[in-house]
Each structure stands twice: as structure tokens, then as C-alpha cells.
Amino acid sequence: MAMAVAHHRESSSGSSINKHLDAGKYVRYTSEQVEALERVYAECPKPSSLRRQQLIRECPILSNIEPRQIKVWFQNRRCREKQRKESSRLQTVNRKLTAMNKLLMEENDRLQKQVSQLVCENGYMRQQLHTAPTTDASCDSVVTTPQHSLRDANNPAGLLSIAEETLAEFLSKATGTAVDWVQMPGMKPGPDSVGIFAISQSCSGVAARACGLVSLEPTKIAEILKDRPSWFRDCRSLEVFTMFPAGNGGTIELIYTQTYAPSTLAPARDFWTLRYTTSLDNGSFVVCERSLSGSGAGPNAASAAQFVRAEMLPSGYLIRPCEGGGSIIHIVDHLNLEAWSVPEVLRPLYESSKVVAQRMTIAALRYIRQIAQETSGEVVYSLGRQPAVLRTFSQRLIRGFNDAVNGFSDDGWSLINCDGAEDVIIAVNSTKNLTTSNPANSLALLGGGVLCAKASMLLQNVPPAVLVRFLREHRSEWADFNVDAYSAASLKAGSYAYPGMRPTRFTGGQIIMPLGHTIEHEELLEVVRLEGHSLTQEDAFASRDIHLLQICSGVDENAVGACSELVFAPIDEMFPDDAPLVPSGFRIIPLDSKTSDSKDTLATHRTLDLTSSLEVGSTTNNAAGELSSFHNTRSVLTIAFQFPFESSLQENVATMARQYVRSVISSVQRVAMAISPSGLSPSVGGPKLSPGSPEALTLAHWICQSYSYHVGAELLRPDSLGGDSMLKHLWHHQDAILCCSLKSLPVFIFANQAGLDMLETTLVALQDISLDKIFDECGRKTLCADFAKLMNQGFAHLPAGICMSTMGRHVSYEQAVAWKVLAAEENSVHCLAFSFMNWSFV
């Protein structure tokens, strides 16, 4: 590159001369001219700036330099600046790669030690097997019971002994072979990865490990990680009871921690632990922690009684400074969550190292990297909000949702009308404080409170990420705009209104405005605007738009063990930083798959409330059964909705809340069946079937073949009977084609586009429509009269008649054909199909 040559020498006048190369000849600039050019460049770095030209004209010292020469100087100056930036960036990347290489080498050394240890253990076991017959009689004398050192946890000396032992055990897990670590599924290390993640393969309890490079100093990282409620969303509270120096520059703390339960089906956990903070001889910083024996019930014994005491085995953080800035961090979380105390169907959640990794270990490393990027200015958010403000909004949303799900009595929650048989739990909090630092934005709850309706259910073969994405993008499929309007109106002091008092029509418009996201986009914070209009004449032109602050996480289908959440709260359109929030939403937690037989699966379905309504269908064939078992994944869905209320309206709001949550549950079940992988492929862009139905293309073949077999004519043109085109032509057929199940109450399982238009419904709501609902009295009598003929002959022609859409409109048709859809063997009836010809709205 023909870069400018910076060459200085003394002129005859003694001034410093700067020479630049211009079109093959030297151009001389005095030091004063260079300083003037630098000032102009600093103020106007853009070459096309009119301001730059003005500054050059206003500078007399530059008047004797040709414009072309000045242009070349600026070009060279810009090239040098780009070079410096690129060099700085490459040096930063090189430092990171060097640190990551060092981390990988250490990980490789640890794995080699683990292999050597396994080889030695294998040789020892072989030797024991060979010598077992001759030493069996004396083996009892060889085995000795380990003697625990007598340590008093009530005095500093005893606690220091426990702390030193905790430190040694933690370091053996973080950098040694005390735990048999295996790579976290789906988390491959690399230059763009957040870090290296591993989970325990066979050890007591559940454990996860992470190590990575973070651009923060060790003391700052330790300060962040010790503040567990700020980054661990499941942490309700952390209280330091005692803190004293350890005598070696470190500190020892006795800590009582409460965590939230992820669902309504199991109690929450708490911990009574010792935390030891110290530095090592090599300059590393260590924060390690373990459980102590004893009660450690915290400040309120009644509050602690709501928790199950869990155990934290030696865990913590090893933070080592890197040359050139930044730190290498090792994180170990090793817990015993007492899985015996939860329902059997939930035990995989408490026995899964992958869940601990996602919710604790990986979350901690991601949070630190997020803070590091925000500190360096790499993260830019919308609407001019500071990162700390948006982080606070996210924490308040999740914390408010967790409070509603758990309903702790010391927060003021109490159950109403709960006899154990209700599927929806109703809790009331009359002491909930929703005031903020700004009195103008406080939510007045004089003589009232907050009511929460919540429930949990088991989902089968439903990807949590797909379900959450659907709930986020298609709110109109499950939400009631009037209920949202009621919750939004409650934000205004004294403006309680029971739904229906101000009728509003939801236009279906939903605008999502992003506010921010985490570095890997695993969590999104956004504002949702729901467009609505009043139905009353006097304020027909008044806007009824509703704004929701919403957080969505877990939308990555490839994340193993991740929890998917959609939590939202009404917020004022001015979006104040200290706005009161009453969060509601959904949480879906995947459970590890079990290779159990069908009887165990059916028993599992009856374990939780509401799951008995998830019928798979009694007409499922063997192939569909095999497909269902192949996708045998389960997850727990927790729903919680909160409603502010006045005391005089408590009963009305409770009834409304119970009915609304049941309606949401019904909608979610329909959505879950529609998006199940055992239904139609989403790539078709058309209908979706229940989990008991065959694949879409197979069903299309069955419908057309059965029509030809029974009626003796082709349903589709001959040129559309091959491959995927059959499904496309069936979907776009001009006649309304519907399929219903063969249950005691037949419900629709499939409809093409014309069928959906005729019924004025959607794919999600289709499976909630029974066959008898679409016919009038005359139509039902005709169908009953021809039903025997249909079953014996295989088809029947129905005369012209009238049917009803789901919106109550009459639909006339000139003729209809009904026929049995046979499975591939042609000896079992899968469903009934109807084709309504020349239909139109009356």
C-alpha cells in the first residue's frame, strides 16, 4: 500500500517538516499544518462533510495547500486509523485465543488425568476380581469406616477447618478429577462459544461445570457472582447471618438461601451454607460454598417450614486473572435437591444435571459476559434505555411470576376455596405492595389486593420452544382482550372495572417492539401493543390499545434442558422506569425422556391435574403408536395469571379468573396437539393434526384412495395424485373437505382451506368443534338417517341443506358426500370424511 511517509527534518528556518507521498512526489507539511489537519479530521472524520470544507477554508495555514493534496492526506490518515483499530482488535482477539488455548490445554490435562485414573481403577478392579475367591474371608477386615474429623461448626476454628476442606474439594472438582465430567449435550466449545460446559455422569446429587473467558477483573466477577439474586432467577432471597475474617486474608460467611419452586406441584428449596472467599498463591480468586448440618432456619421459622432443605455439596467459583486483562473462570454447582419429596413424574427435573447446568451454571457465565459487554459499550438497546434499567425490568417480571407461582404465606398469599379437587388454584394476597418510588406511578390497592389463578399440567410430545414461540406470536389464539383490558385498567388508581362493563373489540393487531436481548438471544425483552377499539357509540373513535411488557426465553429448540418462559405484565404507554408490574404467563420445563412401557405412560398422564383431558385417541394405529413412542418427550407447563381487585369484587374476579385460566388451558392444549411433531409437518404450511393422527401426506392418500374406492370416482385430478402435490391440491380444493374422528362425540381432526373458511375457524380451534354443532336440526336428522347406510356401504350422498359456522352464520350447500377413510390395510376405519360442494353463506 502506498502509505504516506512520515519523515521529519529541520528546514532552513529550524521548523519541523512533515513529508507525504503524493502522486510520486514528496509534499511537505509543516508541523503546524499537520496539527491543523489533525484538528479538522478529529472534528469531521467523514470525507463528504461540508463542515470539513468550511473548517479548511477558515484555516489560513492550509490556504497554500492544494485541495487534492489535502484529500490525499485525509485518505492516508483514515487508512492509518483503520490500521490501528484493526491492529488493536487483532491483539484483543489474540489475547482471548491465547487465554482460551490455555484453558483448553488445562482441560486436556484434566481429561488425561481422568483417563489415567480410570485405567488404574480398571486394573485394580481386575486384580480384585482375580483375588476375590482367596480373600473373601478376610475382606471384612480390610474395609474400614472413614473417621470424620471432629469439627465444631459453632466456633471460628471449626468453621475454618470446614472452609479449608470445602476449598480442597471444590478445587478437585473444578480442575481435578473428583467428578466424572462429560460434555454438555448440544454445547460445543469453540471461538464463538460462551464457554466449556460439562455435567456429572455418575456422582451423588446433580452437578454441572463451566469454564470460560470473561473481560472483567476477578474481584468484579466475584462481587457479581456472590450477589446470587441478581443473576439466579430461582433465588428468592440470600441473607448473610455471620461474617468474620478467616485469618489468611479471606472471609467466612454463614448464609441462608431460599429458592423458588419452578411449578405449583412441588415445594421450594432452601439452603444453610458456609461460604469461603479467599485468594490462592498463584493470584487466583476463590469463592466456595457447601451446606452445613443443623437447622439454620433463617429469621422466620414459619417461613422456613414452607421449604424442603436441600444440600449444596462443595461448589463455587475459581477466578484467575489473564495477562493483558480479563479472567478465566471455573464454575461448579453440585446439589442434592432431595428428589424424593416431589411427585414421581417430576423427579427427572430434580435429578437432572442438565437442568442445573442451564438454570444455574450456564446462566451465571452468561450473565457475567453480558455485564462485560455492557461495560465495554458493545451492547446497544432500544428506546434509549440503560442496560441496568432493562435488566431490572426482566428481574421484576420473573420474580413477580415466581412469587405468584409459589404463593408464600410470608408474602401475604393465602388459598381460597381449595379442597384439593380443583384443577385451578386460586390464591389471594391482600398485603401485596405494588407501590413504586414515584407516588404517581403507584398502584392503589386500598381495600383490595391481587388474585392469582394458577395450574400445572403435563404435556406430551410438545417441544417447549415451539409452543412458547406460538404463544408469543399468536396471542389472539388463547388470550381474551377484555381480560387484558381489565388488567391494564387496574394500573390506573381506582379504575377497577369488571370485564364486560366497557365492551372492546380486539382487532387482532399485535405489534412487538424489541427493547433488548441477551448476548446469545436466549432471552428477549419487548413491549407488545394490542390494538383495540371501543364498541360503544359515544367513544367509538377512542383508542383502546393495551401495552404489555414481556419477556420471552428458551426459544432455541437445540438448547438441552432449557426452560421456556413467556411472562408479561400490563404497563403504561409512557413506560416509566419504576412502573408497577403484575406479571402473568407460562413456564414450560422439559423432563428427561423415560423409556417406559405404555402402562407407565398412561399412569403418568393421571398423575397431574388436567392431564386426563389430553386424549390421544382410541383409533390410533400401530404405526402412529410407534411414532408417538419415538417422540416420547414430556414437559411440565405452569400457568399463572394475576388480577388486581377491590374487596367488593373479589368473588366476581375469582370466578372470572378461574374460568379464564381454564379457557387458556383448553386453548394451550389445542395448540399443543396442533404443533406436536407427530402431527402434520410444519413445512407444509397448512393443517396440523392431533398426536393420534398419521402424517399429513399419508392422510391425504387415505382420503383420496378411500373416496375412489367407495364412490368410484376421483376426488382430485389424475395429474395431482403423486407425491406432495396431492396434499397441496387437497388443501386448495374448492370443496370444503372435513374429517372427523370416530368417537362417541365425533370432533374434527382435519379441514382444508375451504373447510376452515366455511366453518370460520382456525386450525388450532378446529379440534374443539364436534360434528353435531355444524348441522341444524334438519341436517342432524338427515345425517342420522343415512349413518347406517354410510357405515354399511362406505359412503352416502347427503341432500342440499344448511349448516352453521362457528360464528353462528348459516352456510348453504348444494350437495355433500360422506365416506369412510380407510387406513392402509383397507380393513380399519381411521375417520369419516365430508365434502360440501358449492357452499356459500346465506
Side-chain angles (χ1 to χ4, degrees):
M1 180 182 294
M3 293 294 296
V5 178
H7 182 67
H8 299 270
R9 56 176 160 179
E10 295 296 325
S11 66
S12 57
S13 61
S15 62
S16 175
I17 300 296
N18 185 281
K19 297 199 296 185
H20 285 259
L21 188 64
D22 179 19
K25 61 181 180 179
Y26 284 103
V27 178
R28 301 188 176 205
Y29 300 99
T30 65
S31 59
E32 291 82 2
Q33 289 174 334
V34 172
E35 291 177 2
L37 290 170
E38 288 286 357
R39 287 196 301 270
V40 173
Y41 183 83
E43 185 169 349
C44 301
K46 293 183 179 181
S48 60
S49 174
L50 296 177
R51 174 62 177 164
R52 174 190 286 187
Q53 303 301 325
Q54 181 183 358
L55 290 174
I56 293 174
R57 288 194 298 268
E58 293 175 354
C59 188
I61 199 170
L62 301 178
S63 60
N64 60 342
I65 304 177
E66 295 181 9
R68 184 169 60 89
Q69 296 172 348
I70 294 178
K71 180 179 179 181
V72 171
W73 188 94
F74 280 122
Q75 289 175 347
N76 294 332
R77 176 65 175 80
R78 191 163 57 252
C79 289
R80 290 196 302 274
E81 184 177 9
K82 288 182 179 179
Q83 259 191 338
R84 281 197 298 268
K85 289 182 179 179
E86 183 66 13
S87 176
S88 176
R89 188 189 68 84
L90 291 176
Q91 289 177 3
T92 302
V93 171
N94 186 52
R95 285 197 300 268
K96 289 183 179 179
L97 291 176
T98 302
M100 185 61 69
N101 183 55
K102 181 180 178 181
L103 186 63
L104 291 173
M105 291 175 63
E106 292 175 354
E107 182 70 7
N108 186 50
D109 292 340
R110 187 193 66 80
L111 291 174
Q112 289 180 352
K113 292 178 182 178
Q114 185 174 350
V115 170
S116 300
Q117 181 178 347
L118 291 174
V119 170
C120 292
E121 290 178 356
N122 186 38
Y124 177 76
M125 292 299 297
R126 288 176 179 273
Q127 182 181 1
Q128 291 297 314
L129 289 174
H130 286 302
T131 59
T134 59
T135 60
D136 184 69
S138 60
C139 65
D140 290 340
S141 63
V142 178
V143 180
T144 59
T145 303
Q147 297 294 325
H148 296 282
S149 58
L150 298 177
R151 299 166 301 180
D152 186 4
N154 296 319
N155 65 73
L159 290 176
L160 180 59
S161 175
I162 297 174
E164 293 293 344
E165 182 179 309
T166 302
L167 174 62
E169 292 187 30
F170 160 68
L171 291 177
S172 67
K173 296 176 184 179
T175 60
T177 59
V179 174
D180 186 11
W181 299 111
V182 295
Q183 182 176 307
M184 176 83 172
M187 306 292 289
K188 296 182 179 180
D192 298 329
S193 174
V194 176
I196 303 173
F197 306 102
I199 56 176
S200 60
Q201 189 173 25
S202 57
C203 69
S204 174
V206 289
R209 174 178 172 270
C211 49
L213 179 65
V214 181
S215 302
L216 290 175
E217 295 303 315
T219 53
K220 179 64 175 178
I221 295 175
E223 178 185 347
I224 294 173
L225 291 176
K226 290 176 73 172
D227 185 17
R228 190 173 290 142
S230 68
W231 58 266
F232 184 32
R233 296 289 175 80
D234 290 344
C235 183
R236 184 195 183 206
S237 63
L238 185 148
E239 184 172 353
V240 178
F241 270 65
T242 306
M243 181 176 67
F244 55 87
N248 56 354
T251 58
I252 294 177
E253 301 164 289
L254 300 185
I255 297 175
Y256 176 65
T257 305
Q258 293 180 345
T259 61
Y260 291 105
S263 73
T264 63
L265 302 171
R269 266 55 182 161
D270 65 350
F271 298 87
W272 174 242
T273 59
L274 175 146
R275 186 167 69 187
Y276 182 36
T277 304
T278 186
S279 56
L280 303 180
D281 295 337
N282 60 3
S284 300
F285 207 80
V286 179
V287 180
C288 55
E289 190 172 357
R290 73 173 300 166
S291 286
L292 293 173
S293 59
S295 59
N300 189 341
S303 172
Q306 303 175 83
F307 296 83
V308 172
R309 178 61 48 84
E311 180 184 8
M312 179 182 292
L313 289 83
S315 308
Y317 321 107
L318 171 62
I319 312 167
R320 295 183 298 174
C322 294
E323 296 181 4
S327 307
I328 293 177
I329 178 172
H330 296 257
I331 304 175
V332 173
D333 292 305
H334 194 174
L335 308 174
N336 181 0
L337 296 174
E338 305 295 340
W340 58 268
S341 63
V342 302
E344 184 177 357
V345 70
L346 283 183
R347 288 182 187 174
L349 180 62
Y350 291 79
E351 296 172 343
S352 172
S353 295
K354 291 180 289 188
V355 173
V356 173
Q358 286 286 357
R359 297 190 71 82
M360 286 189 69
T361 318
I362 299 176
L365 190 54
R366 281 174 172 165
Y367 184 82
I368 297 171
R369 287 176 61 92
Q370 183 78 23
I371 297 295
Q373 290 200 3
E374 292 175 359
T375 304
S376 64
E378 298 179 34
V379 181
V380 179
Y381 290 100
S382 302
L383 302 182
R385 299 287 172 170
Q386 293 296 322
V389 174
L390 298 181
R391 245 192 344 267
T392 302
F393 272 128
S394 300
Q395 292 167 355
R396 289 176 59 198
L397 281 173
I398 299 298
R399 186 175 183 86
F401 182 73
N402 280 329
D403 285 334
V405 170
N406 286 261
F408 294 116
S409 60
D410 56 326
D411 281 342
W413 290 98
S414 60
L415 300 179
I416 61 174
N417 299 331
C418 184
D419 56 3
E422 286 287 346
D423 51 0
V424 178
I425 301 172
I426 303 294
V428 173
N429 190 337
S430 300
T431 63
K432 191 172 180 65
N433 181 18
L434 296 178
T435 58
T436 65
S437 57
N438 183 2
N441 294 328
S442 299
L443 177 57
L445 296 176
L446 300 176
V450 176
L451 183 143
C452 177
K454 53 190 176 181
S456 292
M457 57 187 289
L458 186 69
L459 298 178
Q460 191 86 5
N461 304 330
V462 179
V466 178
L467 179 55
V468 162
R469 282 205 305 267
F470 187 94
L471 295 175
R472 171 178 174 263
E473 297 169 4
H474 303 277
R475 186 179 183 87
S476 60
E477 295 286 356
W478 57 268
D480 187 332
F481 183 83
N482 285 319
V483 175
D484 290 329
Y486 166 77
S487 299
S490 300
L491 288 174
K492 300 177 182 179
S495 63
Y496 293 92
Y498 187 68
M501 295 177 65
R502 298 180 65 87
T504 307
R505 177 176 61 88
F506 178 47
T507 64
Q510 173 180 301
I511 300 176
I512 298 178
M513 298 171 284
L515 289 176
H517 56 77
T518 49
I519 54 177
E520 292 188 317
H521 293 259
E522 73 276 359
E523 186 174 282
L524 309 173
L525 183 67
E526 51 204 13
V527 172
V528 181
R529 190 180 77 191
L530 306 177
E531 298 176 342
H533 298 285
S534 176
L535 295 180
T536 57
Q537 186 70 25
E538 57 272 13
D539 54 356
F541 297 100
S543 174
R544 290 285 180 262
D545 291 353
I546 296 173
H547 294 80
L548 304 174
L549 182 65
Q550 179 171 277
I551 185 171
C552 181
S553 62
V555 295
D556 182 8
E557 297 178 55
N558 299 319
V560 180
C563 167
S564 300
E565 293 177 321
L566 182 69
V567 179
F568 49 87
I571 193 169
D572 186 81
E573 60 184 2
M574 300 304 295
F575 192 31
D577 292 348
D578 56 352
L581 300 178
V582 185
S584 304
F586 308 86
R587 172 180 292 149
I588 312 170
I589 307 176
L591 301 173
D592 285 342
S593 300
K594 285 187 176 181
T595 55
S596 57
D597 57 13
S598 58
K599 292 183 179 179
D600 292 337
T601 304
L602 291 175
T604 299
H605 271 285
R606 299 188 183 96
T607 304
L608 301 178
D609 292 336
L610 307 175
T611 56
S612 59
S613 61
L614 288 174
E615 282 191 26
V616 174
S618 58
T619 61
T620 306
N621 55 24
N622 294 333
E626 292 174 0
L627 181 63
S628 178
S629 62
F630 177 75
H631 293 288
N632 187 21
T633 59
R634 301 176 302 165
S635 54
V636 175
L637 168 65
T638 297
I639 302 174
F641 283 80
Q642 297 190 80
F643 306 92
F645 69 92
E646 283 184 341
S647 56
S648 60
L649 295 175
Q650 177 175 329
E651 291 299 325
N652 292 335
V653 174
T655 301
M656 178 271 294
R658 183 180 287 108
Q659 293 175 351
Y660 181 58
V661 170
R662 285 175 177 166
S663 171
V664 171
I665 289 171
S666 178
S667 300
V668 170
Q669 287 176 342
R670 291 196 303 269
V671 172
M673 287 190 293
I675 66 177
S676 173
S678 53
L680 272 174
S681 171
S683 62
V684 174
K688 294 189 173 8
L689 306 178
S690 65
S693 300
E695 291 293 333
L697 191 57
T698 303
L699 180 58
H701 278 285
W702 289 355
I703 292 173
C704 297
Q705 290 173 358
S706 299
Y707 185 88
S708 176
Y709 176 78
H710 292 300
V711 182
E714 296 295 338
L715 181 63
L716 304 176
R717 296 193 309 269
D719 58 348
S720 61
L721 297 180
D724 296 341
S725 62
M726 176 180 291
L727 178 60
K728 293 180 180 178
H729 283 82
L730 184 67
W731 175 251
H732 296 292
H733 199 282
Q734 62 181 357
D735 296 339
I737 300 175
L738 308 169
C739 292
C740 68
S741 62
L742 283 174
K743 298 181 180 180
S744 56
L745 182 61
V747 295
F748 290 106
I749 62 173
F750 171 80
N752 67 350
Q753 185 62 63
L756 295 177
D757 294 341
M758 185 184 77
L759 295 180
E760 292 187 294
T761 187
T762 64
L763 289 168
V764 176
L766 179 67
Q767 299 178 44
D768 199 35
I769 305 173
S770 59
L771 180 63
D772 63 311
K773 288 183 179 179
I774 72 168
F775 289 104
D776 59 6
E777 187 65 27
C778 180
R780 281 193 288 269
K781 290 181 179 180
T782 303
L783 180 61
C784 291
D786 292 338
F787 188 77
K789 177 182 177 181
L790 169 62
M791 299 306 294
N792 293 329
Q793 183 176 309
F795 76 101
H797 289 281
L798 305 180
I802 301 290
C803 63
M804 301 282 291
S805 75
T806 57
M807 304 299 292
R809 292 208 289 174
H810 290 83
V811 181
S812 65
Y813 56 91
E814 295 183 1
Q815 186 183 7
V817 179
W819 70 97
K820 294 191 296 185
V821 176
L822 303 178
E825 303 84 14
E826 297 188 359
N827 56 9
S828 60
V829 180
H830 176 70
C831 61
L832 295 179
F834 294 83
S835 178
F836 295 88
M837 306 173 189
N838 299 325
W839 63 272
S840 62
F841 290 106
V842 179

